[in-house]
Amino acid sequence: MKEYRKHLTAVLLAIISIAVLAGCNSDDGKASGKSDPLKVHIALNGKMGPLVIAKEKGLFNEEFSKLDAQIEWSEFQSGPPLLESLASNRVDLSFLGDGALIAGIDKNLPFEVIAQTGRGESSVRILAQTEGNIKQIEDLKGKTVGVASGTTGHVYLIKALKAHGLTTDDIKLINLQPDDAQAAFETKKLDAWAIWNPYYLNNIEKGNAVALKVKEKILAPGAIIARNGFAKAHPEIVEAYLKVYKKAADWQIENPDEASEIYSKETKLPVSTVRTIITAEKPNIFFTEDAIKAQQESIDTLAGVGYIKKSFNFKNQINNEYIDEAFKK
C-alpha cells in the first residue's frame, strides 16, 4: 500500500508540474504580447467594385498585417440585407447605394458615412421588355415593375416616376432581389425592372431589354460606411481600409482590361460588357458637391413620399475625420 501511495503521489506531482509549466508557457505568450489578430468583417455589396479588386489582388494584406488585423469577408446582393448584418455587429466596413444608406440613417442604424464611391451617373436604369408596349416612363402606369425595396434602384424608380408625374401608387410594385428579378424579367412576369449595373447593361446587350429615357439626369451616388462601435475602437483600421479602397479604385482606373477580367470571372459576364461598365464612370472616394446635392434630393424625395420618417441634412451625416487622416499631406 505504501508503495502504491508513493507511486500515486509521484504521478500527481508530475501532473501538477506539467500544468504549472503549461501555465507558465501560457503566461509567457501573454507577456510577449502574442494574441489572435483582430477580426475585421468587410462586406461585399454585389460582385463589382474596388473591394472585389482589393480582395482578388490581396491589397489588404500589407496594410492590415501592420495592424495585426485579419479580414473575414461576407457578400450581399444589395444594401438592405447588408444593413441587417451591420445592425447585429456582423459587418464592420462596407459600402451602400443611396437607398439603403438613406434608409439606414433614417432608422438610426449604427454606422457613419466616411467617404463616397462615386457620382452614380451611369449605374441605374429602368428596363422594359423589348417586345412589350412600354416605350416611355408614362407607359409604366398600371404595369408590374420589379425592384429590390430600399435599394438605389428603388430610389431611382421613385425619382424617375416623379419626374414624369407618377408615383409608385400608379404601378404594381414587386419587391425582388436582383437574381430573383432577373428570372422574373426573363420569363416576362415583370413588365419593367429598376436595376443597377451589371444587370441592366447585360440585359440590354443580350437584347432582352430596353432602357427607358428619363427627363431629368438622376445621380445615384453610393457611400463608404463604417460601423460606429468598430470605428471608434479602431480608427487606424478604418483609415487603412480607405487607403486600400482608393488604391484598388486607382488600380481599376489604370488597368481596365485586367480589372474587367477579374469582374468577368466574378459575374460570369462578357469581358467587353464589364469594360463598358467600369469605364463609363471613374470611382471617386472624395465627396463632390453634385453627389451631396443628389443625396439631399433623394432624401427630400423619399421623405415627401413617406418612405422615410422625415428629411435630414445629408452633410451633417458625413464624417470626414477618417478620410482626412488617411490622406493628410
Side-chain angles (χ1 to χ4, degrees):
M1 179 65 74
K2 288 183 179 180
E3 290 299 321
Y4 172 75
R5 288 176 179 171
K6 287 181 181 179
H7 176 70
L8 181 60
T9 300
V11 170
L12 291 172
L13 287 172
I15 292 172
I16 292 169
S17 298
I18 292 170
V20 169
L21 287 172
C24 290
N25 288 338
S26 175
D27 290 341
D28 286 345
K30 291 177 183 177
S32 64
K34 292 179 181 178
S35 61
D36 292 335
L38 173 70
K39 294 289 192 300
V40 183
H41 300 88
I42 299 181
L44 297 172
N45 189 352
K47 296 182 181 297
M48 292 182 65
L51 281 184
V52 175
I53 296 292
K55 182 174 184 285
E56 177 70 19
K57 303 286 289 182
L59 300 182
F60 279 103
N61 295 346
E62 182 179 354
E63 286 289 337
F64 275 35
S65 63
K66 296 175 190 174
L67 302 169
D68 195 25
Q70 190 176 77
I71 296 174
E72 290 194 353
W73 294 96
S74 57
E75 184 177 339
F76 299 85
Q77 281 193 52
S78 65
L82 189 158
L83 284 177
E84 293 176 13
S85 285
L86 186 145
S88 57
N89 296 340
R90 297 198 303 272
V91 171
D92 299 319
L93 299 162
S94 190
F95 65 92
L96 294 169
D98 56 351
L101 179 75
I102 293 167
I105 295 172
D106 178 64
K107 294 174 182 175
N108 293 315
L109 293 185
F111 69 85
E112 48 191 330
V113 180
I114 60 173
Q116 71 168 25
T117 60
R119 298 168 73 243
E121 183 175 351
S122 62
S123 58
V124 188
R125 294 291 184 273
I126 299 173
L127 302 181
Q129 298 286 350
T130 306
E131 304 299 329
N133 57 3
I134 299 174
K135 307 301 179 185
Q136 56 187 1
I137 297 293
E138 287 82 358
D139 296 334
L140 292 174
K141 191 168 185 177
K143 298 297 192 295
T144 301
V145 183
V147 70
S149 180
T151 64
T152 189
H154 195 180
V155 177
Y156 186 95
L157 176 63
I158 292 170
K159 293 171 84 172
L161 290 171
K162 181 182 178 183
H164 291 259
L166 299 174
T167 72
T168 52
D169 290 335
D170 294 308
I171 64 175
K172 298 173 183 175
L173 196 63
I174 306 297
N175 178 20
L176 292 170
Q177 287 296 311
D179 288 348
D180 293 330
Q182 177 69 63
F185 190 79
E186 287 178 355
T187 55
K188 296 183 169 51
K189 292 177 182 176
L190 296 176
D191 298 310
W193 179 20
I195 190 60
W196 52 87
N197 265 326
Y199 294 93
Y200 96 68
L201 185 59
N202 182 46
N203 279 276
I204 289 173
E205 290 194 345
K206 287 165 63 177
N208 293 343
V210 292
L212 301 180
K213 291 183 179 179
V214 181
K215 288 179 182 178
E216 302 172 0
K217 180 186 287 187
I218 299 176
L219 299 183
I224 300 172
I225 63 161
R227 183 170 59 80
N228 288 343
F230 181 86
K232 184 177 180 180
H234 307 287
E236 72 287 354
I237 299 290
V238 179
E239 291 158 21
Y241 168 75
L242 287 171
K243 289 178 183 177
V244 175
Y245 192 105
K246 185 177 186 302
K247 185 176 181 179
D250 291 344
W251 184 92
Q252 174 182 306
I253 294 168
E254 295 164 5
N255 302 274
D257 293 334
E258 190 175 345
S260 298
E261 293 281 354
I262 291 172
Y263 291 140
S264 176
K265 185 176 70 173
E266 292 292 323
T267 62
K268 312 303 180 188
L269 295 176
V271 173
S272 59
T273 300
V274 173
R275 198 182 195 287
T276 299
I277 293 170
I278 68 172
T279 56
E281 182 183 341
K282 295 178 180 179
N284 171 32
I285 72 169
F286 300 101
F287 277 105
T288 58
E289 285 303 317
D290 58 351
I292 293 173
K293 181 182 177 183
Q295 289 283 31
Q296 191 61 54
E297 289 173 351
S298 295
I299 292 165
D300 296 340
T301 297
L302 294 179
V305 300
Y307 183 75
I308 60 174
K309 294 189 291 291
K310 62 181 181 178
S311 184
F312 55 85
N313 189 320
F314 181 65
K315 274 191 174 181
N316 293 341
Q317 302 297 322
I318 300 172
N319 184 350
N320 286 314
E321 174 186 341
Y322 303 103
I323 200 167
D324 288 345
E325 187 66 25
F327 300 103
K328 64 183 179 181
K329 296 179 180 179

